[in-house]
């Protein structure tokens, strides 16, 4: 089996969407990772020294910045192919931590200062060439080093069906199956050998309606840069109309806010290098 695209996987050409500054800016409105995710990641470090971590497809550092800020990790190398995402990450809270090193480039092509005791991937591996990426990880991880694949997103939205119809009408990759599992694909190809899993749910995350709408434009398939302005406005209006009945006014009476749940999972195991 090869890394070639099939309908369940995102179109690889859409990865260039992350090079747009607008996409990088919208990323800040994605839901945060639950605190428990970072507890799990730190537990995977065990007693290894030095505690150097590699974050691949780091984006603007939604995993990297909080993880290095907790003080357990000595050095964290955050790698992303988009200069715009890295630039945004440097400016976000914790982005200038002295132990956080930003690297622009594809993880299978940049120079890495291993060994690392942990490599993390937050919703990013599906964009990468799997054989080369997993071979790279296998080479830079220490003897006990693990790969942790982290997924998260909104959980049990009551407006999900209506929302899916709007997304399907505007997505630049409408054939993509949201049930696609990169862990299953990597396991099937014997590029990843799972050794553990943990699922967490963060309840009652509050988010202004405007930010909820804007976070969709942080995705490769719904980037504003891929839409005529009229289409982007129509998309925003459609989503806002769907969620507005579920919103309540905040305490200051300034904006409408949604209460949602965020679900997350961490799956860990060994990277496998295959010729």
């Amino acid at each position: 089996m090869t890394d070639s695209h099939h309908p369940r996987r995102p179109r690889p050409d859409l990865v260039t969407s992350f090079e747009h500054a607008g996409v990088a800016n919208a990323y800040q409105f994605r839901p945060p990772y639950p605190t428990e995710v970072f507890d799990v990641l730190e537990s995977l470090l065990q007693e290894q020294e030095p505690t150097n971590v590699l974050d691949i497809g780091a984006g603007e550092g939604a995993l990297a910045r909080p993880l290095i800020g907790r003080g357990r990790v000595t050095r964290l190398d955050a790698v992303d192919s988009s200069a715009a995402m890295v630039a945004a990450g440097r400016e976000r809270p914790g982005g200038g931590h002295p132990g956080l090193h930003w690297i622009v480039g594809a993880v299978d092509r940049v120079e890495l200062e291993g060994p690392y005791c942990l490599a993390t991937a937050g919703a990013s591996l599906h964009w990468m060439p799997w054989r080369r990426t997993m071979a790279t990880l296998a080479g830079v991880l220490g003897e006990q080093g693990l790969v942790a694949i982290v997924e998260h997103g909104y959980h049990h939205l009551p407006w999900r069906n209506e929302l899916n119809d709007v997304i399907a009408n505007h997505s630049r990759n409408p054939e993509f199956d949201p049930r696609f599992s990169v862990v299953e694909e990597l396991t099937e190809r014997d590029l990843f050998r799972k050794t553990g899993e943990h699922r967490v749910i963060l309840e009652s995350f509050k988010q202004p309606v405007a930010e909820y709408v804007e976070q969709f434009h942080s995705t490769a398939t719904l980037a504003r840069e891929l839409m005529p302005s009229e289409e982007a406005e129509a998309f925003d209006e459609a989503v806002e109309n769907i969620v507005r009945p579920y919103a309540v006014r905040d305490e200051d009476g300034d904006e409408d806010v949604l209460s949602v749940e965020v679900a997350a999972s961490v799956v860990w195991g060994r990277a496998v290098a295959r010729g």
Side-chain angles (χ1 to χ4, degrees), residues 6 23 31 44 72 79-80 91 105 120 123 140 160 169 181 197 236 252 262:
H6 56 77
V23 172
L44 299 178
R72 175 71 175 83
V79 181
D80 198 274
E91 298 300 318
T120 58
V140 299
R160 174 72 70 187
N169 289 334
S181 169
E197 179 178 16
D236 291 355
D252 297 327
V262 179

Side-chain angles (χ1 to χ4, degrees), residues 190-256:
D190 195 27
L191 297 172
F192 177 74
R193 293 175 185 164
K194 175 180 169 181
T195 59
E197 179 178 16
H198 187 82
R199 295 184 180 275
V200 295
I201 296 176
L202 174 67
E203 296 185 353
S204 193
F205 166 66
K206 296 187 182 301
Q207 184 171 39
V209 167
E211 293 184 5
Y212 175 79
V213 173
E214 188 61 25
Q215 58 87 27
F216 286 101
H217 298 296
S218 72
T219 64
T221 60
L222 294 169
R224 288 189 182 279
E225 290 81 356
L226 300 182
M227 298 181 182
S229 59
E230 297 83 0
E231 182 183 0
E233 291 174 5
F235 174 84
D236 291 355
E237 182 177 0
V239 174
E240 183 174 337
N241 288 340
I242 289 171
V243 303
R244 183 71 66 183
Y246 299 92
V248 297
R249 208 69 174 167
D250 68 4
E251 294 180 357
D252 297 327
D254 295 332
E255 55 188 351
D256 292 333

Side-chain angles (χ1 to χ4, degrees), residues 26-38:
Y27 232 84
Q28 64 187 302
F29 302 123
R30 288 193 178 194
Y33 288 99
T35 299
E36 194 173 346
V37 165
F38 301 100

